[in-house]
């Protein structure tokens, strides 16, 4: 049985599944139930400065994108940081940590970009017994307009500065939560590292308008006839998050910086993918908000079964395992030739591969009168679109053409040696280098 | 358990009214919006979709389902009705299990097709509930066309002609329109007077005048129609029924299944409709099933459908056969009637077993007798008397692939004409296609 125990920055938790700082972790009641349901840790919903708490809108806070059967694919929110008094949160955190010493409890913090504010609050929160801090430099709505959240996260110098203040104020691990609403994730990640961060967590939500109410002509969620951009999360953002995690993991400047992976983790497989790309653990929010805390049980059983099947005994053996295989386009092997293969046995004859290829790609699939679909090897560029649009899992696959065999499309045998764009004759740079 | 009247013979009120009402509720109840969206989500929007090819009226099924899925059932209805103006009835009575749904790729994939019929009903019912009609008439052409028969073929033809700007007069032999939709379909497939509501809705396009209780040989002659109108469409269906040709066929309580089905549809109170305690139905088509199942639902204790060939040869679909068996109707195959028993009134029917030998059906010596106090014959219908000017083929009015008969300026479609599968949907397709050819002919000539 694989050991799912997680030790992230020295913070131990029974498994690598943490609840992200968000509505599910806003109060003691929720967090106790989450721990009982099996979550390994929580990042408590972001605490703000002492004084009158922020207020939230009193209309809808969420908008959504649905797939077939109203499956929730993307969620957008305009909720702010905790709207409960700081003192109440601190008391509750203290009680929870005392009762769950083996579970991770991280405090998410967002206060104005002034040294005094951070120096004042960090030690105070540390008294709760929490295991570390997560600096919320990510929220793209509401708080950013007040100079906090992503307004900090979009300026690397601020990230470095605030991180340094916090590191100086505590011995506990400091995680910097990054916003994806930037052009290059490496800049804020590097800044966090330079400021002394123990880890980064990403991604926070993506600026978004999920839909427009066409009767009222207003973005949703609509508050009294008006809407605003909110933070997008859920399964739809996972590909964006995976890329950003991978970039930080493979970039020489940030390689080795621990990462807490966030962004659409819904199943054990999503978690395994984040970890393979370098995340030391994962944080989850939308899946819990969609299905309740119980979903973690599938994540635990699934990850455990997969690790057993693969022969991994601890999650450390999984973390970063795919990072060496993330490369730049120019290093991909141009001599690797594949062709689509349609299993006639599995084919249900819907013709979607044909429509996709014929109308929008390479006219490389034929259709007979009796709806038999076949790949034309002399046209197939192996784009994979047919695989992606086929409704039957595994019906269309890509077959690697062995070196020496003929590529019907080019009329040339497949070369055995690896060759990429950097040495390709069509590449002006490669010609210049000769 | 509710009261059951087990009196021998043929009697009304065998079940209490609540039970009867419950028995005759909608076979496939209408989807609510959520159910429709869930069902629509299952459609893969296939390329050159097999369902569309299988539909005799070639409805663009993937398109209308996508229109439902995107919250525009009204647009979906228009997609359906453009091809099939009786799409509402077809959604209820089409044997979808042998047409569109049989070839649905999800039938191939999971053995569970997209429920196309019910989705079609959702779309068409939405439009009918709003009482909107998505089509308007073109400018008047000044041409007039006579349509004989207000059944599916005639109505489909009349609507299309009216839409194209022609004036249409429909002659209907009965006092009520709808044809088999009104008189020939099991009550649980067309509830709440749907056939009449659909007829009224169809006529709301305007330009169609229906004259009831008039038909060929009943105040109207083909010659007169040919001279009074620019074109004639015949869609009067099959008005005669086949007989067994056996002694005793004239006994009390031996009748045609189509008559029973029509009486049942026209009855205002089903508990007043008499039915036998033991009922035998002879035949293997939809009429036999509709009669047998409804006799059972009215409270007959034993209902047996007897078919002379093997089960695989039954014209009734597998779904219909299953339905009959679910309702407690017994199917006996490979048996042919050889005697109608009873001294005065019917007491039973004697059958001989049959067997197919060298491709021919052979009657064997062994016989058995089913006790019966009511016998329904469902062994097919045939064309009534037709004017000599019309050439026949296999007992039906011969038509070419544009529905033209041998008589100049006369088109025909539906059950009275050759081609088609004696289905509502094929009749609608033929009526529509005839209208298009009539239009082309009339406008080309002007």
């Amino acid at each position: 049985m694989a050991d799912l125990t997680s030790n992230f920055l020295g913070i131990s938790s029974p498994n690598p599944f943490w609840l992200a700082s968000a509505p599910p972790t806003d109060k003691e009641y929720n967090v106790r139930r989450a721990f009982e349901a099996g979550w390994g840790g929580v990042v408590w919903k972001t605490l703000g400065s002492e004084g009158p708490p922020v207020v939230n809108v009193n209309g809808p806070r969420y908008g959504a994108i649905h797939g077939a059967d109203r499956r929730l694919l993307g969620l957008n929110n305009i909720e702010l940081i905790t709207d409960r008094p700081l003192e109440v949160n601190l008391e509750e955190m203290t009680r929870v940590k005392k009762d769950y010493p083996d579970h991770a409890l991280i405090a998410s913090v967002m206060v104005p970009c002034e040294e005094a504010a951070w120096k004042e609050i960090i030690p105070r929160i540390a008294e709760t017994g929490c295991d570390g801090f997560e600096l919320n430099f990510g929220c793209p709505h509401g708080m950013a307009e007040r100079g906090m959240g992503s307004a900090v996260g979009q300026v690397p110098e601020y990230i470095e500065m605030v991180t340094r203040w916090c590191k100086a104020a505590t011995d506990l691990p400091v995680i910097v939560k990054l916003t994806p609403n930037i052009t290059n994730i490496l800049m804020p990640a590097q800044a966090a590292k330079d400021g002394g961060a123990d880890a980064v967590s990403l991604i926070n939500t993506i600026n978004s308008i999920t839909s427009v109410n066409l009767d009222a002509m207003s973005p949703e969620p609509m508050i009294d006839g008006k809407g605003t951009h909110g933070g997008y999360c859920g399964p739809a953002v996972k590909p964006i998050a995976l890329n950003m995690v991978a970039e930080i993991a493979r970039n020489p400047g940030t390689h080795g910086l621990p990462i807490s992976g966030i962004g659409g983790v819904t199943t054990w497989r999503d978690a395994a993918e984040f970890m393979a790309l370098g995340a030391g653990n994962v944080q989850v929010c939308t899946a819990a908000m969609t299905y309740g805390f119980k979903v973690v049980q599938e994540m635990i059983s699934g990850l455990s079964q997969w690790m057993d099947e693969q022969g991994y005994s601890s999650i450390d053996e999984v973390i970063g395992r795919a990072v060496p295989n993330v490369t730049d386009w120019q290093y991909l092997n141009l001599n690797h030739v594949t062709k689509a293969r349609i299993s006639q046995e599995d084919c249900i004859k819907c013709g979607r591969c044909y429509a996709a290829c014929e109308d929008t790609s390479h006219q490389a699939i034929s259709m007979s009168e009796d709806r038999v679909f076949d790949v034309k090897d002399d046209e197939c560029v192996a784009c994979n679109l047919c695989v992606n649009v086929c409704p039957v899992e595994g019906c269309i696959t890509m077959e690697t053409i062995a070196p020496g065999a003929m590529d019907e499309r080019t009329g040339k045998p497949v070369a055995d040696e690896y060759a990429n764009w950097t040495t390709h004759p069509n590449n002006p740079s490669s010609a210049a280098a000769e | 358990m509710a009261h059951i009247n087990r009196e021998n013979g043929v009697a009304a009120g065998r079940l209490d009214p609540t039970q009867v009402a419950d028995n005759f509720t909608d076979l496939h109840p209408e989807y609510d919006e959520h159910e429709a969206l869930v069902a629509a989500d299952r459609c893969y929007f296939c390329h050159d979709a097999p369902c569309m090819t299988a539909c005799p009226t070639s409805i663009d099924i993937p398109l209308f389902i996508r229109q439902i899925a995107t919250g525009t059932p009204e647009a979906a209805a228009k997609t359906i009705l453009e091809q099939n103006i009786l799409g509402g009835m077809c959604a209820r009575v089409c044997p979808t299990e042998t047409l569109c749904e049989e070839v649905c790729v999800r039938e191939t994939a999971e053995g569970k097709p997209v429920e196309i019929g019910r989705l079609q009903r959702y779309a068409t019912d939405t439009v009918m509930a709003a009482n909107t009609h998505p089509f308007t008439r073109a400018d008047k052409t000044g041409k007039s066309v006579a349509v004989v028969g207000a059944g599916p073929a005639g109505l489909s033809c009349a609507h299309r002609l009216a839409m194209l700007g022609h004036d249409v007069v429909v002659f209907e032999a009965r006092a009520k329109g709808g044809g088999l939709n009104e008189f020939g379909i099991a009550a649980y497939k067309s509830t709440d007077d749907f056939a009449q509501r659909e007829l009224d809705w169809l006529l709301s396009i305007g330009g169609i005048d229906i004259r009831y209780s008039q038909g060929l040989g009943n105040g109207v002659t083909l010659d007169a129609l040919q001279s009074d109108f620019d074109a004639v469409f015949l869609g009067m269906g099959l008005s005669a029924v086949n007989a067994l040709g056996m002694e005793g066929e004239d006994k009390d309580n031996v009748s045609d299944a189509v008559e029973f089905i029509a009486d049942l549809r026209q009855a205002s109170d089903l508990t007043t409709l008499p039915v036998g305690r033991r009922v035998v139905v002879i035949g293997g088509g939809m009429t036999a099933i509709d009669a047998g199942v409804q006799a059972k639902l009215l409270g007959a204790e034993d209902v047996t459908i007897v078919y002379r060939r093997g089960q695989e040869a039954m014209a009734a679909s597998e779904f219909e056969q299953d339905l009959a068996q679910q309702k407690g109707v017994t199917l006996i195959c490979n048996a042919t009637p050889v005697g109608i028993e009873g001294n005065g009134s019917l007491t039973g029917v004697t059958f001989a077993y049959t067997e197919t030998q060298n491709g021919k059906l052979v009657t064997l010596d062994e016989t058995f007798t089913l006790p019966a106090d009511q016998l329904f014959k469902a062994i097919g219908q045939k064309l009534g008397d037709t004017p000599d000017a019309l050439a026949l083929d296999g007992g039906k009015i011969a038509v070419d692939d544009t529905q033209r008969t041998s008589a100049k300026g006369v088109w025909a479609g539906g059950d009275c004409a050759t081609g088609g599968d004696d289905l509502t949907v094929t009749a609608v397709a033929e009526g529509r296609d005839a209208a298009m050819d009539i239009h082309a002919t009339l406008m080309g000539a002007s």
Side-chain angles (χ1 to χ4, degrees), chain A residues 68-69 348-352 354-355 367 371 391, chain B residues 38 41 44-50 105 108-109:
Chain A
D69 210 4
I348 59 170
K349 304 190 186 303
C350 69
R352 293 212 322 207
Y354 175 82
M367 174 179 172
R371 300 185 73 82
Chain B
V38 171
D41 265 342
Y44 283 143
F45 203 72
C46 293
H47 173 76
D48 191 13
V105 300
T108 314

Side-chain angles (χ1 to χ4, degrees), chain A residues 404-422:
Chain A
M406 184 65 77
D407 177 352
E408 301 290 344
R409 188 177 68 85
T410 58
K412 291 180 188 154
V414 174
D416 199 4
E417 67 276 12
Y418 161 88
N420 65 41
W421 176 244
T422 62

